Amino acid sequence: MHSSRNLKAVAAIAAVGALTLAACSGTSASDDPSSEGSAATGDPIVVAALSGLTFFPEAPEAVQAVFDDYNAAGGLDGRPIDYTVYDDKTDPAASATAAQDALSSGAVALVGGSSLLDCAVNHTTWEENGIVSIQGTGVDPYCFATPNIAPTNTGPYFDTFATLYYGSEELGFENICAIMVPDEAAAKAAYEQAIASWSASTGKELSYLDTTLVRGQASYAGNVSSLKSETCDALFVAEVGDAVLALLGEASNQGVDLPVLVLTSAYSDQFAASAAYSSDIYLPAEWAPYGDMTIDGMQDWADSMDAHGVPKTAFSQGGYLAAQYFIDILESIDGDVTRESFTAAAKGMTDPIDSPIAQAPFLFGDADFHQPNNTAYPVVLRAGTNEWESLGPLLIGDEIGWQYSTVPAGT
């Protein structure tokens, strides 16, 4: 297990000196391509990802942006990275097929994947084929509980814990009501673990819990109507971006104006521009708040996203970091770059990778499961505004009672 006890809260507390992610051969992806030599034209290094592009397009788009810049700057000793994203369509059968396609492509690793079910469906496939995945947005609990996957993000379960903790301990909410979409047994168990972790840490319990939501449901009228009969001073919503907007729209229609606690999936300018809600909306940033360009490295990320037309969101932060971490590991390989050598390099890591826009250093390493990022920096969208405001303080999981996600037997 990788603990966050000694995590460095460099990004969210103060700007730090620039830290070079690529320490060995080749050219860093963050370097200005115009200052380097010719674009890479050698034998491609094949990399793949599985993503549910309906929900999470930004993460792999950010990966592609980093790789495009890296290739333009000369790649790895003249070798470009050839990146292909396979859409799993948020369907188990399509995901399994996409996994075989990714393996058949000759990919040396999986980078920047963002999916509601990839890890659950394919983690055994990755293990059997000796390939590792650096997730841009890990979602289902198998992303955080299996040996060949290491997400850059904290995931919805730590998000749940940190959001509830901030709501009860920092904001003082005594009666938090929750509406959640657990999807399936393992995810439901992981959410239950996160809520139990919060309860153990704070002594608090949810005042109301509705787990009847399903992905893409047409109306939230019944959920909101049931909520109105409860005693609540805040509402926690565990859903993905657009669905959160739809649920809050229905809440407004029915006269509900509770402060809202949501997950990082809502952290985007698009959400802020669309959320016509009459109370404050709080969430945990999984990395340094993306709107703060005073944080060292954040302007480089923003410039890269703008140059490649990628929306600036928490998801694109995750993809950007996944690509940077991949390049760092890639450039540490002495000899041929193969699936086997990359997996050995990732699992052989002993020194974590620091990035000025990450709130925790990244370490893959050889472990049964990987949850390297267990930090959150609270932000808020004030009622009547369309810009996120950074609040703090930085929440570090091991310091506030977080218990790592596991996948119960039989799920």
Side-chain angles (χ1 to χ4, degrees):
M1 180 183 78
H2 296 140
S3 169
S4 62
R5 185 173 301 280
N6 296 317
L7 297 181
K8 301 173 185 177
V10 291
I13 297 176
V16 297
L19 297 170
T20 303
L21 290 175
C24 299
S25 62
T27 304
S28 168
S30 62
D31 290 341
D32 179 1
S34 65
S35 67
E36 301 296 332
S38 302
T41 57
D43 185 28
I45 298 167
V46 179
V47 179
L50 267 66
S51 284
L53 296 179
T54 300
F55 292 102
F56 306 110
E58 300 101 318
E61 288 173 359
V63 174
Q64 187 68 67
V66 173
F67 288 167
D68 284 348
D69 290 346
Y70 187 75
N71 293 342
L76 181 72
D77 299 326
R79 298 184 64 187
I81 297 172
D82 182 3
Y83 183 57
T84 302
V85 180
Y86 298 87
D87 186 1
D88 73 6
K89 305 182 189 301
T90 316
D91 172 79
S95 187
T97 299
Q100 294 304 316
D101 291 341
L103 291 170
S104 298
S105 74
V108 303
L110 301 154
V111 179
S114 303
S115 166
L116 294 174
L117 46 72
D118 164 35
C119 304
V121 173
N122 299 310
H123 70 94
T124 301
T125 299
W126 305 148
E127 294 158 30
E128 291 174 345
N129 287 274
I131 191 168
V132 295
S133 176
I134 303 173
Q135 292 281 120
T137 307
V139 180
D140 74 69
Y142 292 88
C143 299
F144 307 92
T146 53
N148 280 39
I149 302 170
T152 64
N153 65 320
T154 67
Y157 315 110
F158 179 79
D159 274 5
T160 293
F161 168 81
T163 301
L164 292 173
Y165 184 94
Y166 187 76
S168 65
E169 305 310 295
E170 298 291 337
L171 299 175
F173 297 136
E174 294 292 335
N175 297 295
I176 300 176
C177 296
I179 298 179
M180 307 176 68
V181 53
D183 285 322
E184 40 74 41
K188 181 179 180 181
Y191 277 119
E192 289 172 347
Q193 290 172 18
I195 294 169
S197 184
W198 164 67
S199 293
S201 175
T202 65
K204 309 290 175 58
E205 300 284 344
L206 291 175
S207 296
Y208 171 76
L209 176 59
D210 176 359
T211 59
T212 64
L213 270 66
V214 296
R215 298 285 179 193
Q217 70 184 58
S219 171
Y220 299 96
N223 305 96
V224 174
S225 179
S226 296
L227 174 74
K228 291 173 65 177
S229 64
E230 303 296 326
T231 300
C232 313
D233 56 11
L235 173 62
F236 171 59
V237 179
E239 247 289 12
V240 177
D242 287 346
V244 175
L245 289 173
L247 194 152
L248 294 184
E250 181 59 38
S252 295
N253 290 341
Q254 296 193 33
V256 174
D257 60 357
L258 295 168
V260 173
L261 308 168
V262 295
L263 303 181
T264 309
S265 63
Y267 190 31
S268 69
D269 289 345
Q270 293 88 340
F271 182 97
S274 303
Y277 186 67
S278 58
S279 192
D280 295 342
I281 301 172
Y282 299 88
L283 60 77
E286 296 180 319
W287 301 281
Y290 71 75
D292 188 350
M293 293 302 134
T294 67
I295 296 171
D296 199 23
M298 198 68 77
Q299 191 63 56
D300 289 340
W301 164 77
D303 290 346
S304 178
M305 298 303 97
D306 288 342
H308 294 275
V310 181
K312 294 191 288 292
T313 70
F315 294 136
S316 57
Q317 281 183 304
Y320 180 86
L321 287 170
Q324 294 274 5
Y325 297 153
F326 169 81
I327 290 170
D328 190 284
I329 298 169
L330 176 71
E331 294 185 344
S332 75
I333 296 172
D334 184 14
D336 292 340
V337 177
T338 64
R339 182 178 300 171
E340 292 74 19
S341 65
F342 188 90
T343 297
K347 293 199 170 189
M349 287 179 68
T350 57
D351 296 326
I353 303 170
D354 288 311
S355 167
I357 67 171
Q359 296 173 144
F362 178 83
L363 182 67
F364 205 113
D366 188 13
D368 291 336
F369 65 90
H370 310 281
Q371 297 180 36
N373 185 1
N374 290 300
T375 64
Y377 197 85
V379 301
V380 64
L381 181 65
R382 299 290 185 192
T385 71
N386 57 10
E387 291 187 4
W388 295 100
E389 173 189 342
S390 300
L391 295 175
L394 181 70
L395 304 176
I396 299 176
D398 284 355
E399 296 180 1
I400 58 175
W402 166 244
Q403 298 171 23
Y404 289 79
S405 300
T406 60
V407 177
T411 60

